[in-house]
Amino acid sequence: MAHPSPIPDQPGAMRVGIPRSLLYYKYLPFWKTFLAELGLEVETSPLTNKQILSWGVEVAENELCVPVKAFYGHCMALRGKVDALFVPRVVSVEEREYTCPKFLGLPDMVAAVADQLELPPLLTPKLNQREKPSEFKWQLINFARDEFGVGAMDAIAALETARLAQRRYQESLVSGHKPLDLLPSSRLNRTRWKKPRGERKRIGLLGHPYNIYDGYITQNLVARLEEMGAELVVPEMTDHHVLMKAATDVPKQLYWTYEKEIMGAINHWTENKMVDGVIYVLAFACGPDSLVQVLIEHRARVHKVPLMSLTIDEHSGEAGLVTRIEAFTDMLMRKKKTAEAVA
């Protein structure tokens, strides 16, 4: 159902909510800066918790993956706090490629239940670079004009400031930080541990940022691995162009950009012997994740790199997760010691 455009006559007083889920971990610096430069106040939803996930599970269709269910809950957590919700329709972020279908349909899925859930109006700019990358700029300029009455020059200035913020964020990631180190209030998944004695295991933690870094959904996986003595390598630590180039080492190119990044990461890690083992985190019922899982398993088998796949959903339990990652890290250490003894 269509919703009225949010208050264009007092943009300075308008508050826009960004749900802390899905592309939040990838583009928050860009979106937050762009909206703020347009004169809007930006608020993000809280960290995922039991209530937020329960809200999402209650309203979402059963066959949706858990990150989308969490997204519903985050939208609901912003009710009464903001004048509008920012839910962009991200169709394509690379030429001749697409994002996962859920990003194409996300505004429609949320809009379908917006009245029932009493959500604020939705801001749904369509972003599609499939035919021409420069379209991205004009799509945002038009969005700023149509929704807030912002002129082209002011929108371009906001866009350039946002690009700079995103570039700084990505440079920090490539220098060795994880998104959790840089994004605000990411206290879940924070490592409380002290550096262990002895040699550490280098584990490649593979998956979408919204799967890996949501501490509630993954039972604080990042912190648990580091507290067990793992040195984590994540896809965000490698330049995007390097990942894209590495992802071409498959017989047929993938359509989905974010899945190509995942394939590029494991190809890059295994080719350069950067990790002792890989943990692949995927969401139950996610079609692209399941397809890429087969390719990842093949790559790991060919390069003889231990791989463990962790499938998450809203029923994932802490005990099972801890047991599996303890067994995996112990196995990596024994394998490493055996190899050193033989050498």
Side-chain angles (χ1 to χ4, degrees):
M1 181 175 292
H3 290 270
S5 179
I7 326 167
D9 54 339
Q10 290 184 326
M14 183 174 171
R15 294 176 65 81
V16 176
I18 298 181
R20 191 188 296 257
S21 185
L22 295 178
L23 296 179
Y24 166 92
Y25 298 96
K26 223 167 173 51
Y27 302 125
L28 178 68
F30 181 87
W31 292 128
K32 188 172 183 178
T33 303
F34 180 68
L35 295 171
E37 288 294 314
L38 294 181
L40 310 171
E41 295 182 32
V42 179
E43 178 159 343
T44 55
S45 54
L47 295 164
T48 305
N49 54 39
K50 183 178 181 180
Q51 178 65 78
I52 287 176
L53 186 57
S54 296
W55 279 336
V57 170
E58 287 174 7
V59 71
E61 294 292 332
N62 285 336
E63 59 265 29
L64 292 175
C65 60
V66 66
V68 175
K69 292 174 180 174
F71 189 88
Y72 278 103
H74 280 279
C75 289
M76 296 167 73
L78 287 165
R79 290 177 299 188
K81 299 178 181 176
V82 297
D83 302 307
L85 285 175
F86 187 70
V87 188
R89 188 187 306 279
V90 184
V91 177
S92 171
V93 293
E94 295 275 344
E95 195 170 3
R96 294 189 293 276
E97 293 180 5
Y98 285 107
T99 62
C100 169
K102 62 175 169 284
F103 294 117
L104 279 66
L106 193 62
D108 300 320
M109 290 191 286
V110 176
V113 295
D115 286 344
Q116 171 194 343
L117 302 179
E118 299 181 338
L119 298 179
L122 306 183
L123 296 170
T124 61
K126 181 179 178 180
L127 305 171
N128 186 353
Q129 300 184 63
R130 175 172 164 74
E131 300 298 334
K132 196 174 180 182
S134 61
E135 284 298 306
F136 176 78
K137 172 183 175 182
W138 293 108
Q139 288 159 357
L140 285 178
I141 291 172
N142 293 337
F143 165 70
R145 180 198 61 204
D146 296 343
E147 294 290 352
F148 313 114
V150 175
M153 295 307 295
D154 289 337
I156 291 172
L159 184 58
E160 292 306 314
T161 305
R163 279 176 166 162
L164 181 60
Q166 184 69 20
R167 189 180 308 132
R168 288 173 177 161
Y169 175 61
Q170 290 173 334
E171 288 173 351
S172 295
L173 294 175
V174 172
S175 72
H177 292 92
K178 299 183 293 296
L180 295 177
D181 302 326
L182 305 171
L183 296 176
S185 301
S186 297
R187 62 176 176 77
L188 269 180
N189 244 339
R190 285 285 189 188
T191 303
R192 296 154 296 183
W193 138 93
K194 308 298 178 204
K195 185 176 180 178
R197 296 177 181 176
E199 191 173 6
R200 302 169 66 191
K201 302 158 288 273
R202 285 177 64 87
I203 295 179
L205 187 56
L206 200 59
H208 297 294
Y210 50 81
N211 285 336
I212 292 177
Y213 303 118
D214 190 316
Y216 186 81
I217 291 177
T218 59
Q219 310 286 333
N220 286 330
L221 177 63
V222 170
R224 290 181 190 281
L225 285 169
E226 291 188 329
E227 288 168 1
M228 289 177 185
E231 180 181 355
L232 295 182
V233 180
V234 295
E236 291 77 26
M237 292 177 179
T238 302
D239 183 83
H240 173 76
H241 300 290
V242 174
L243 294 181
M244 289 294 102
K245 184 177 180 181
T248 59
D249 188 18
V250 291
K252 183 176 175 59
Q253 298 304 302
L254 294 171
Y255 296 115
W256 309 300
T257 300
Y258 301 140
E259 278 67 24
K260 283 185 74 173
E261 289 179 339
I262 292 174
M263 275 308 303
I266 191 167
N267 289 354
H268 181 64
W269 294 343
T270 52
E271 185 66 29
N272 295 285
K273 303 185 186 307
M274 294 174 61
V275 295
D276 299 313
V278 174
I279 296 177
Y280 176 42
V281 182
L282 67 159
F284 177 74
C286 176
D289 272 2
S290 300
L291 188 149
V292 171
Q293 180 183 17
V294 178
L295 301 176
I296 290 171
E297 289 174 346
H298 174 73
R299 181 77 184 191
R301 188 162 52 248
V302 168
H303 286 264
K304 299 180 180 177
V305 175
L307 168 73
M308 179 175 71
S309 295
L310 284 177
T311 304
I312 58 171
D313 65 13
E314 60 271 30
H315 305 297
S316 297
E318 179 179 356
L321 175 88
V322 171
T323 301
R324 292 194 65 193
I325 62 176
E326 282 182 344
F328 186 73
T329 54
D330 288 347
M331 181 273 294
L332 290 183
M333 186 52 74
R334 288 198 303 274
K335 183 173 183 287
K336 197 164 188 175
K337 288 180 178 177
T338 301
E340 290 171 354
V342 172

